[in-house]
Each structure stands twice: as structure tokens, then as C-alpha cells.
């Protein structure tokens, strides 16, 4: 990628880098012998998305990892639009972005950027969202924000379309009214995609989550640093630590979010608070431990559940098989279960290791293992699905 032109990169990352002189960041991963059907929208040969009666769109933070994925998802899902603005910081202004066969110049984000914009997809950090989100709303745009800026603000819907679409009832494109809608944290989305169908059946009273989070959650620069560090370590050089304060390659550590006074970090408390808001249940007990692992772009989560009503593993497996946006990979004889690599660049969240919790009596506990693409369903896809519900 040169300094002036950005192209969409949709091939999956390699799981690990090989110690060769030239390393390919994006390769095709060979399929395993057992086939699992994941949902990934095919790109049609004739684009129907550029439509005059469709919304005018703005993508804020377009040069970042999630911003680029916004464009990929808009294309994959044939999202209708009459125009699209590519917005980013002053540093990125002037670069060119290729989208659906057209070249767009990235514009500097200003208060005037939202004139005539109907839907604005934000992924440029909480500070930018707090500064420009209300400006866009004031100008009549519906903002779908991927940062943490508004998630816990009363009156701002926090939405996973498969989980709580009713939270954004009454917000529609064409109403002439601006609005804010918050995208949940990536680990919350991936977790609740799998847990909510079970919660609807037997009501979760307590949830214990351990996350294994990829570099993508810290942005494109972190992904690049993981690649660079891996190469450096394999070559016997000291690793470059600009994004993280310690070696990331061939290592794992507690999530780099700030530690709070209660001993939890901010990432862990997001899972606690966001789950309660999304489920509209302040009484559900949630605890989490979040770990950063040297994986490029998909998160994994171990989830222990306690239910109000009995739910056995057979029934749970059937519920999950029929849940939208979920695929079950639970092959005990082959010891084959979800992996971050397998879900990378996929829409669906994968669930496996579905088993009764032997520490709880009466079939009131389950353990599951969940994997999902952090950039896709954990961020960009969820936001675009919200935008689809506005039409």
C-alpha cells in the first residue's frame, strides 16, 4: 500500500508468519477436511447499490481497520446509497480510496462534513465521536457509532440486530430526524450472539467470560506491530513495542485497557455493563477476564453460564444451530471446535465445546467456546446491519 492510495483487503491473514525474506500478509487458507458452512455474502457482478432514492452515507475513520471493513461489508451486502463520503483525520486527508470501482479522495473530518448526510458510520475513536457525533445528529444524520463514547448513555440504543432490534424502534432513514445508535464492544457482540438464544430459553442468571482477544481490537497499527514483532523475534532481534508496552509475538498478557479501582480493566467492565443494557436486565451477574493473544483478527471467548431454568447440552446445541448469525462447530470425536483463523473474514459467530457444567446441579449450567471476527461481526458488520434496519 502506498501513501496515497488504499485498496480494500479482504483476504484472510495468515495465522503465523514464516521466517522468510518476503512475508505475505494475506494468503488463502486451505480448508480443513470437515466442511462448515459460514455465511459470507457474495459480491454480485452488477452493482445495484448506487441508487438515487437511497441514503447519503459518510464513513468516518475510513482509513482505519474498521473503516476499511465498513466499505467491504457495504459492498458484500449490496447496501444502497446515493453518495458516499470518505472522512478521516487531517493526516489522512488527500489519500485515495478505491470503492466499488470508483476512486474517492479522503476528506478531512470537519463540522461541515455532514451536510446532506443521512447515515454516518463512525469508527475513529471515542474522542472524535464525542466531538462530531452530536454535530452530525444536529444536521439530521443518523450516527452508528463504533466507539464507547455513547454506549452507556441513557436514551442511546445499544444494538445487536439479532439480539435487541426493538431498542432502535422509531429511528428511520427519511424521518428527517438525526439520532445516535451505539455499536456494542466487539467482545460483547461476539459473546451475546451465542449466549442470547440460550438466555431466551432458560434465562441466564450468571455469566463468567474469559476472552482471548486479537490484535485487530487495537487497530491496524497493532496488527502491523504483531507482524513486525513476529518477524523480528524469528530473526533474533528485539521486538518493536510501540503500540503495546511489552512483547506481543509468541506471548499473551492481560488486556491493555486501563485498570479501574475495582481491579477490573475497562474492557472487562464493558462486558458487564453492556450485557445488562442490551438485555435490559440490571440483575444479571456478569464477570469477565480479558486477555490479549497473538492472533491477527478474530476473538475467542470461553463462557460459563448459570440458568434460572434447566437446559441440557442437547437442547442447547439445537437452539444454537437455529440461531441467526451462529454456526455450531462441535465435533467431539475429531476434537474439532471453533478457531479464530476459521472465523476470520466470516459473518457468523462460531460456537463449540457445548457441555454441561459438572460443578452445577440439575442441568442449570453450561460451558461454551465462541469465536468471531472482531473487525467484521464485532464491529463493521454489526454497524452496517444496524444501518440496514434504518431503511
Amino acid at each position: 500500500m502506498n501513501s496515497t492510495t488504499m485498496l480494500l483487503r479482504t483476504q484472510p491473514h495468515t495465522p503465523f508468519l514464516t521466517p522468510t525474506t518476503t512475508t505475505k500478509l494475506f494468503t488463502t487458507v486451505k480448508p480443513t477436511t470437515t466442511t462448515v458452512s459460514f455465511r459470507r455474502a457474495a459480491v454480485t457482478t452488477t452493482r445495484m447499490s448506487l441508487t438515487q432514492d437511497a441514503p447519503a452515507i459518510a464513513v468516518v475513520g475510513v482509513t482505519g481497520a474498521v473503516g476499511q471493513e465498513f466499505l467491504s461489508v457495504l459492498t458484500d451486502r449490496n447496501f444502497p446509497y446515493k453518495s458516499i463520503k470518505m472522512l478521516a483525520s487531517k493526516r489522512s486527508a488527500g489519500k485515495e480510496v478505491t470503492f466499488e470501482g470508483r476512486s474517492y479522495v479522503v476528506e478531512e473530518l470537519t463540522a461541515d462534513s455532514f451536510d446532506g448526510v443521512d447515515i454516518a458510520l463512525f469508527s475513529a475513536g471515542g474522542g472524535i465521536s464525542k466531538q462530531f457525533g452530536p454535530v452530525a445528529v444536529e444536521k439530521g444524520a443518523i450516527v452508528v457509532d463504533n466507539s464507547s463514547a455513547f454506549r452507556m448513555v441513557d436514551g442511546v440504543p445499544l444494538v445487536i440486530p439479532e439480539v435487541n432490534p426493538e431498542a432502535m424502534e422509531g429511528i428511520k432513514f427519511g424521518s428527517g430526524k438525526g439520532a445516535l445508535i451505539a455499536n456494542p464492544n466487539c467482545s460483547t457482540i461476539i459473546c451475546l450472539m451465542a449466549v442470547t438464544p440460550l438466555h431466551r430459553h432458560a434465562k441466564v442468571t450468571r455469566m463468567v467470560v474469559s476472552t482471548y482477544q486479537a490484535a485487530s481490537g487495537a487497530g491496524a497499527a497493532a496488527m502491523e506491530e504483531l507482524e513486525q514483532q513476529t518477524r523480528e523475534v524469528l530473526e533474533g532481534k528485539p521486538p518493536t513495542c510501540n503500540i503495546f508496552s511489552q512483547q506481543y509475538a509468541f506471548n499473551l498478557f492481560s488486556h491493555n485497557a486501563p485498570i479501574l479501582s475495582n481491579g477490573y480493566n475497562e474492557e472487562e467492565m464493558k462486558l458487564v455493563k453492556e450485557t445488562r443494557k442490551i438485555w435490559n436486565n440490571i440483575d444479571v451477574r456478569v464477570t469477565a477476564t480479558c486477555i490479549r493473544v497473538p492472533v491477527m483478527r478474530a476473538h475467542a471467548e470461553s463462557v460459563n453460564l448459570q440458568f434460572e431454568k434447566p437446559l441440557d447440552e442437547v437442547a442447547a446445541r439445537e437452539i444454537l444451530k437455529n440461531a441467526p448469525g451462529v454456526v455450531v462447530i462441535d465435533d467431539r470425536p475429531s476434537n474439532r471446535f471453533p478457531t479464530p483463523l476459521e472465523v476470520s473474514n466470516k459473518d457468523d459467530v462460531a460456537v463449540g465445546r457445548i457441555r454441561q457444567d459438572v460443578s452445577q446441579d440439575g442441568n442449570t449450567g453450561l460451558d461454551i467456546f465462541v469465536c468471531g471476527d472482531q473487525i467484521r461481526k464485532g464491529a463493521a458488520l454489526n454497524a452496517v446491519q444496524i444501518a440496514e434496519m434504518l431503511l
Side-chain angles (χ1 to χ4, degrees):
M1 184 187 304
N2 62 38
S3 60
T4 58
T5 303
M6 302 188 69
L7 298 176
L8 289 178
R9 303 184 297 183
T10 57
Q11 294 91 349
H13 288 277
T14 53
F16 297 102
L17 300 173
T18 52
T20 55
T21 305
T22 303
T23 304
K24 292 184 179 179
L25 238 160
F26 305 99
T27 69
T28 301
V29 179
K30 292 181 180 179
T32 55
T33 53
T34 307
T35 301
V36 176
S37 264
F38 281 92
R39 184 169 51 91
R40 176 75 189 265
V43 181
T44 56
T45 53
T46 303
R47 298 305 308 162
M48 299 297 292
S49 48
L50 194 56
T51 310
Q52 285 308 307
D53 59 355
I57 300 209
V59 177
V60 179
V62 71
T63 57
V66 175
Q68 287 285 284
E69 198 71 17
F70 277 149
L71 300 185
S72 178
V73 174
L74 289 169
T75 293
D76 285 352
R77 296 180 73 84
N78 207 13
F79 190 91
Y81 63 95
K82 68 179 178 184
S83 64
I84 186 166
K85 282 187 177 182
M86 309 296 184
L87 303 173
S89 66
K90 184 177 182 179
R91 185 181 66 251
S92 296
K95 292 181 179 179
E96 291 185 356
V97 174
T98 300
F99 175 61
E100 295 193 349
R102 295 178 176 87
S103 183
Y104 295 84
V105 176
V106 176
E107 302 175 35
E108 180 183 355
L109 176 62
T110 70
D112 297 325
S113 296
F114 303 100
D115 292 339
V117 170
D118 298 305
I119 299 173
L121 303 175
F122 271 65
S123 189
I128 294 296
S129 293
K130 287 178 181 178
Q131 181 180 356
F132 290 101
V135 172
V137 171
E138 182 68 23
K139 296 198 173 189
I142 300 173
V143 172
V144 184
D145 180 43
N146 192 54
S147 80
S148 61
F150 305 106
R151 288 174 186 157
M152 300 310 299
V153 174
D154 289 342
V156 175
L158 183 64
V159 178
I160 305 171
E162 296 90 341
V163 174
N164 64 329
E166 69 282 353
M168 52 182 286
E169 186 176 357
I171 304 176
K172 286 290 183 182
F173 158 63
S175 68
K177 295 180 181 179
L180 271 168
I181 303 170
N183 220 28
N185 192 41
C186 50
S187 53
T188 304
I189 294 173
I190 291 165
C191 178
L192 296 191
M193 282 292 294
V195 175
T196 300
L198 305 177
H199 173 61
R200 288 174 177 152
H201 187 86
K203 192 177 181 180
V204 172
T205 58
R206 185 170 187 262
M207 180 169 71
V208 181
V209 185
S210 298
T211 72
Y212 313 93
Q213 296 184 224
S216 56
M223 298 167 75
E224 291 169 4
E225 182 163 295
L226 175 56
E227 180 206 0
Q228 181 180 357
Q229 280 194 12
T230 305
R231 186 184 298 112
E232 289 168 342
V233 171
L234 289 171
E235 293 174 352
K237 300 176 182 177
T240 300
C241 298
N242 293 326
I243 306 301
F244 300 109
S245 61
Q246 56 192 305
Q247 180 177 323
Y248 190 16
F250 306 101
N251 191 24
L252 57 83
F253 46 80
S254 180
H255 194 281
N256 49 294
I259 302 293
L260 306 174
S261 59
N262 63 1
Y264 285 73
N265 63 42
E266 287 184 357
E267 188 79 1
E268 292 158 351
M269 290 308 299
K270 287 175 186 177
L271 257 168
V272 174
K273 294 176 181 179
E274 291 178 19
T275 297
R276 290 171 175 167
K277 180 172 180 176
I278 291 166
W279 282 356
N280 193 26
N281 181 355
I282 62 171
D283 296 322
V284 63
R285 293 170 293 164
V286 180
T287 186
T289 300
C290 295
I291 304 296
R292 188 73 76 183
V293 297
V295 170
M296 196 60 80
R297 64 167 287 158
H299 291 350
E301 304 183 16
S302 170
V303 185
N304 175 264
L305 300 167
Q306 184 174 342
F307 298 100
E308 183 177 273
K309 303 173 185 177
L311 178 63
D312 64 53
E313 64 184 50
V314 175
R317 193 173 288 107
E318 287 305 308
I319 291 168
L320 291 168
K321 284 180 179 178
N322 291 296
V326 174
V327 61
V328 173
I329 306 175
D330 202 37
D331 186 350
R332 292 180 182 177
S334 300
N335 199 14
R336 182 161 180 263
F337 305 103
T339 67
L341 182 61
E342 192 165 22
V343 301
S344 291
N345 287 286
K346 303 296 194 305
D347 287 350
D348 293 329
V349 169
V351 187
R353 298 303 313 280
I354 304 163
R355 62 201 189 278
Q356 221 71 52
D357 177 359
V358 297
S359 73
Q360 298 187 48
D361 297 326
N363 284 348
T364 56
L366 282 175
D367 285 295
I368 61 175
F369 187 70
V370 187
C371 287
D373 188 309
Q374 178 274 328
I375 304 178
R376 203 160 176 94
K377 181 54 185 173
L381 172 62
N382 198 78
V384 173
Q385 287 176 309
I386 290 172
E388 288 172 343
M389 293 171 60
L390 299 172
L391 303 180

